[in-house]
């Protein structure tokens, strides 16, 4: 049996209808923006392997640091004990976040980083004897697949089987010039009940790379702050350069109380989640009373190997060359977007930093289950390009080491697709 046959005998893949999906392609090696299958065929990874890779595949520097860590300390219980790599990573990350972020809490992935942020906010009010009951989130949001994260995400085909078990959330529109006053009024009317407002800053990834302006988010954040509503910026996708600055929050005047990170955090090498918060949040848990403790943790909290990957990735991220690459991708995406801004087959082409999204005009409108999706997916795969359309929306979210030539290959393939579909 080949790898694909062996896989199908024993493995159940995520987000995959196993009866109808095309068989998985076995990938055996990666280098830069390329992935290679078991027959040596190269694929250009235009989605950073589910948005996680930022410096290229099998990066030698990260590999070296991970290898050294593995041979030194692979894991240690993180309650009652600590280790140098977790400390250095926390110090290094806080140094480049908004100044109000003062404490790092470790977990395993993006969903758990969100769960931790939600629990911190809920208990923050409870610990002060002023419990609040409701969370605010944006329409079309995606914050992960665990139950708390699902609850603050849009109700959709993905959550349908679980909707009865999700807690109630106040969903608001993406803020814009026309609705901002109405949103502010709506929140003011119930502000005494509101625990926090969680949002994906500037770009709603899984919703189809929906983009909105920093200006209106700023205005909304300012209003929440005035009303005493805590702010959670979920930077799991937008963090580490995706929006053209280090973090999406660097585009904002207002600063969040809590931030969530994962995906690019380890350069896409190892699973790791981080929730950061202000001293104000942290101090609300300090007490002689043990009941005020944050009772949350995972077996692999702050795993040293994951932390070593993240620390190495952070060093690479802070090299001037990385920001130059980010600027280069932003500029080239913009040129392509300008060139195709009024293409008749495209409903929109939109860009925030290194993220470029193109929405096809279809008779049936935008839907994740659009059959155009499967045709586009296969079309690009046939050109050895890995894209994962969200319905009729295709997008690029590439490693920053992608070459100009590889970018040209992506642009040319989109132009071909525009001819074909
Ligand atoms: C992917 C994502 C998550 C969930 O992260 P996982 O590691 O997949 O659990 C949460 N929030 C945002 C904005 C994401 O893009």
């Amino acid at each position: 049996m080949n790898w694909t046959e062996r896989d199908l005998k024993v493995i159940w893949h995520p987000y995959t209808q196993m009866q109808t999906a095309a068989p998985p392609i076995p990938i055996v090696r990666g280098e830069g923006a390329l992935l290679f299958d078991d027959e040596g065929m190269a694929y250009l990874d235009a989605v950073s392997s589910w948005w996680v890779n930022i410096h290229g595949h099998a990066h030698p520097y990260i590999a070296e640091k991970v290898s050294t860590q593995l041979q030194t300390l692979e894991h240690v219980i993180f309650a009652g004990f600590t280790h140098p790599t977790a400390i250095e990573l926390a110090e290094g990350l806080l140094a480049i976040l908004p100044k109000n972020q003062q404490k790092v809490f470790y977990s395993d992935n993006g969903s758990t980083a969100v769960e931790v942020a939600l629990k911190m906010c809920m208990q923050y009010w409870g610990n002060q004897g002023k419990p609040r009951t409701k969370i605010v989130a944006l329409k079309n949001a995606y914050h992960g697949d665990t139950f708390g994260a699902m609850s603050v995400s849009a109700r959709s085909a993905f959550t349908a089987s679980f909707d009865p078990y999700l807690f109630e959330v106040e969903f608001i529109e993406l803020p814009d010039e026309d609705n901002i006053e109405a949103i502010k009024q709506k929140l003011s009317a119930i502000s005494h009940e509101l625990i926090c407002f969680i949002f994906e800053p500037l770009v709603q990834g899984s919703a189809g790379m929906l983009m909105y302006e920093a200006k209106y988010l700023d205005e909304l954040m300012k209003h929440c702050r005035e009303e005493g509503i805590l702010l959670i910026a979920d930077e799991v996708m937008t963090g580490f350069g995706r929006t053209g600055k280090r973090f999406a929050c660097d585009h904002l005047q207002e600063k969040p109380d809590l931030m969530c990170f994962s995906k690019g955090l380890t350069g896409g090498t190892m699973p790791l989640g981080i929730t950061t918060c202000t001293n104000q949040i942290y101090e609300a848990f300090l007490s002689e009373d043990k009941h005020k403790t944050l009772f949350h943790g995972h077996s692999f909290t702050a795993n040293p190997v994951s932390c070593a990957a993240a620390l190495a990735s952070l060093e690479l991220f802070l090299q001037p060359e990385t920001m130059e690459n980010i600027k280069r991708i932003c500029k080239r995406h913009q040129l392509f977007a300008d060139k195709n801004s009024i293409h008749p087959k495209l409903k929109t082409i939109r860009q925030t930093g290194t993220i470029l999204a193109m929405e096809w005009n279809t008779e049936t409108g935008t839907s994740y289950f659009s059959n155009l999706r499967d045709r586009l997916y296969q079309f690009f795969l046939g050109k050895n390009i890995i894209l994962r359309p969200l319905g009729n929306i295709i997008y690029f979210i590439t490693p920053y080491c992608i070459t100009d030539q590889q970018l040209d290959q992506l642009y040319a393939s989109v132009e071909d697709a525009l001819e074909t579909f």
Side-chain angles (χ1 to χ4, degrees), residues 15 50-52 108-114 141-146 149 153 198-201 203-206 209 234-238 260-263 271-273:
Y15 278 102
W50 245 344
W51 319 353
V52 299
D108 303 326
N109 57 65
S111 302
T112 54
V114 167
Y142 178 77
H143 296 289
D145 283 355
T146 52
S153 301
I198 182 166
F199 52 92
E200 296 158 86
V203 186
Q204 291 187 297
S206 299
M209 301 296 166
D234 177 354
E235 291 236 28
V236 167
M237 187 279 283
T238 52
C260 305
F261 306 95
S262 188
K263 294 204 166 98
L272 185 67

Side-chain angles (χ1 to χ4, degrees), residues 163-378:
D163 283 354
Y165 311 100
L166 303 183
F167 57 74
E168 220 183 289
V169 165
E170 195 66 40
F171 287 104
I172 57 174
E173 302 281 331
L174 278 191
D176 63 27
E177 187 177 359
D178 297 329
N179 65 19
I180 183 82
E181 287 308 321
I183 296 173
K184 289 202 291 196
Q185 275 177 21
K186 179 172 165 172
L187 296 185
S188 291
I190 51 169
S191 62
H192 57 284
E193 296 175 57
L194 299 179
I195 298 165
C196 60
F197 166 39
I198 182 166
F199 52 92
E200 296 158 86
L202 306 193
V203 186
Q204 291 187 297
S206 299
M209 301 296 166
L210 298 182
M211 298 171 186
Y212 63 110
E213 277 182 63
K215 184 175 157 195
Y216 299 107
L217 178 56
D218 250 330
E219 193 172 339
L220 188 53
M221 288 170 75
K222 183 158 181 278
H223 184 73
C224 286
R225 193 162 293 298
E226 285 162 6
E227 295 284 357
I229 305 164
L230 296 171
L231 298 164
I232 305 174
D234 177 354
E235 291 236 28
V236 167
M237 187 279 283
T238 52
F240 300 98
R242 290 301 184 195
T243 64
K245 297 198 178 195
R246 285 176 178 169
F247 300 98
C249 285
D250 295 338
H251 296 267
L252 299 165
Q253 303 298 314
E254 296 293 322
K255 298 304 166 201
D257 298 287
L258 305 99
M259 298 175 77
C260 305
F261 306 95
S262 188
K263 294 204 166 98
L265 173 60
T266 62
T269 306
M270 302 281 299
L272 185 67
I274 282 183
T275 309
T276 63
C277 71
T278 60
N279 269 337
Q280 185 190 342
I281 306 275
Y282 176 74
E283 282 162 10
F285 291 73
L286 301 180
S287 173
E288 296 292 315
D289 179 357
K290 291 224 165 84
H291 294 95
K292 295 195 174 174
T293 308
L294 179 61
F295 290 113
H296 186 102
H298 300 276
S299 319
F300 285 99
T301 292
N303 173 257
V305 185
S306 296
C307 289
L311 192 55
S313 177
L314 185 61
E315 285 178 54
L316 295 173
F317 182 61
L318 293 178
Q319 288 185 347
E321 192 183 317
T322 304
M323 199 39 85
E324 281 161 25
N325 273 334
I326 289 171
K327 298 279 175 247
R328 173 178 59 90
I329 296 168
C330 292
K331 211 156 121 194
R332 302 209 67 211
H333 278 358
Q334 181 149 26
L335 285 173
F336 183 74
D338 289 347
K339 187 174 158 202
N340 291 285
S341 61
I342 46 166
H343 197 287
K345 293 224 183 125
L346 291 179
K347 194 163 158 208
T348 64
I349 180 162
R350 50 183 180 259
Q351 182 206 4
T352 299
T354 68
I355 306 167
L356 180 69
M358 291 139 277
E359 184 168 349
W360 250 255
N361 265 322
T362 54
E363 280 154 30
T364 48
T366 298
S367 154
Y368 184 83
F369 298 112
S370 157
N371 75 8
L372 181 61
R373 182 219 174 264
D374 295 341
R375 290 188 289 139
L376 285 170
Y377 179 75
Q378 290 302 335

Side-chain angles (χ1 to χ4, degrees), residues 77-89:
I77 176 173
F78 208 60
F81 296 87
T82 188
H83 62 86
T85 319
I87 299 166
E88 286 179 2
L89 174 59

